[in-house]
Amino acid sequence: MSSTEYTIVMVGKTGHGKSSLGNNILARYGDDGFKCSPFGSSQTTECKKLTNLVNVGNGVLLNVVDTPGVMDTNADEKATLTEIRRCRDLCPGGVNALLLVIQFGQKFTKEEEAAIRQLEEVFGSTLYKYGIVIFTHGDAFEAAKKRGQINDFREYVDSQPKDFRDVLDKVDKRYVVFDSELRGNEAIPQRRKLLTLIRVIMSNVGGKAYIIPEVQSVPICFPATSTVLIDGNNRLKMASLKLGTKVVSIAEDTLAPTLTMDTVYFFSHAADDVFAPFVCIKTSGGKTLHLSEGHYLYVGKDAMKTGALVTAREVKLGDVVHVVDGLDQPPRPEEVTEVKIEIKQGLYCPHTFGGSLVVDGVCVSTYTEAFPPSVAHGLLWPIRLLYRIAPTVAAKVAQPGGEMGMPKWLEWLYDRYVGKI
């Protein structure tokens, strides 16, 4: 049995040759390998793992996962979350490398740029920390060289758009050109280069495999990359927000909507290692808000005066939300120009004494449909009082835990409340 074992996950657009690549890496072909299509349509409808002991001088046990994944042309967000969950189950020991599969000669269009951004949304910096770019159709590269159309691969890279070159820079120029038509000993050098790069990654990360985050559909949070305003104008990501931080919020009991600084005293949710679907709301002025479908925000021309709250799932094109650039400016209305669902990492739900926040530049409530806002505000009164008297003790009471990233007492209450609905 091999003393070395690696698990690699292939991600890429339909038609770029992921399945053929996987077969070549594993030296498994035909009915023994991943199902391939000669027509550019996806034959991989769900994540699948194949394993083989690969001879590259020393035997290495390779587990290769083929994905329809986040870049597949036919996948929706629900299907993508299902496949992320399946991929996690197929890789219980973690992932040693993420192979970003790009077809050689494929024009790097806006669609390709969007696909890369979508991968970044899902995997974050991990995409590049564990990433290796694989250029498939290496036979086309060799043919172009023979025809005198190109001298070397560096020339090809230099001819591509900046966004394309940036991807290679972000993975520290780890790439392999793969010819999936090669067999036997001819295929060994490209496999050996791939394994060398995987070993480089493992050395860089101290041998720690990437554990794919869990998938949750709790409709009550913001993602880790959403931001709040601190110090009046500076932005801070949710994942970096701490108890006691002063953030911009909406002042209570004022005749006109104004802003104030308020204190984060509690997190009803704080979990980073999780994927979830979020509503993405874009405005006419360029704001982009991400929040779970059950989170409340201020919607309507007079919402800042009346306190009218609507869940994110109810927001539609043409609705008016209220946006903020800094503490020195009052909230202003902007029209919603796009509403869609995106997959992002992290689940965070901070609470302020006043019950409001400015997230991603948009005025929102700290409350969700888990409980009616007035009920939630009342339930958290003891926590607010405890924080004012003994913040250290309150922090211990509010310590996130359990499977949902909530304080255990709140998770118990949430389970029983939701179970009655």
Side-chain angles (χ1 to χ4, degrees), residues 299 301 315-321 334-339:
V299 178
K301 292 182 178 179
V315 175
K316 59 187 182 298
L317 296 182
D319 280 348
V320 172
V321 297
E334 283 189 3
E335 189 173 299
V336 173
T337 57
E338 185 177 1
V339 180

Side-chain angles (χ1 to χ4, degrees), residues 298-304 320-324 331-334 361-364:
Y298 295 88
V299 178
K301 292 182 178 179
D302 297 322
M304 299 304 296
V320 172
V321 297
H322 299 266
V323 304
V324 169
R332 66 179 186 277
E334 283 189 3
V362 180
C363 297
V364 303

Side-chain angles (χ1 to χ4, degrees), residues 280-284 287-289 335-340:
C280 173
I281 299 172
K282 296 188 177 184
T283 73
S284 55
K287 303 295 186 187
T288 300
L289 169 67
E335 189 173 299
V336 173
T337 57
E338 185 177 1
V339 180
K340 60 182 179 178

Side-chain angles (χ1 to χ4, degrees), residues 90-149:
L90 291 173
C91 307
V95 177
N96 302 106
L98 292 167
L99 305 189
L100 178 54
V101 182
I102 300 174
Q103 180 180 331
F104 170 78
Q106 175 75 31
K107 185 178 268 188
F108 201 75
T109 63
K110 293 295 183 182
E111 184 180 355
E112 269 63 40
E113 290 178 29
I116 295 294
R117 284 197 299 272
Q118 192 169 346
L119 278 176
E120 290 176 338
E121 290 285 348
V122 173
F123 292 104
S125 62
T126 301
L127 176 65
Y128 301 116
K129 186 186 298 184
Y130 287 84
I132 300 173
V133 176
I134 304 293
F135 293 96
T136 58
H137 295 247
D139 53 327
F141 168 62
E142 293 299 330
K145 283 175 60 179
K146 289 179 180 178
R147 291 192 298 267
Q149 295 174 314

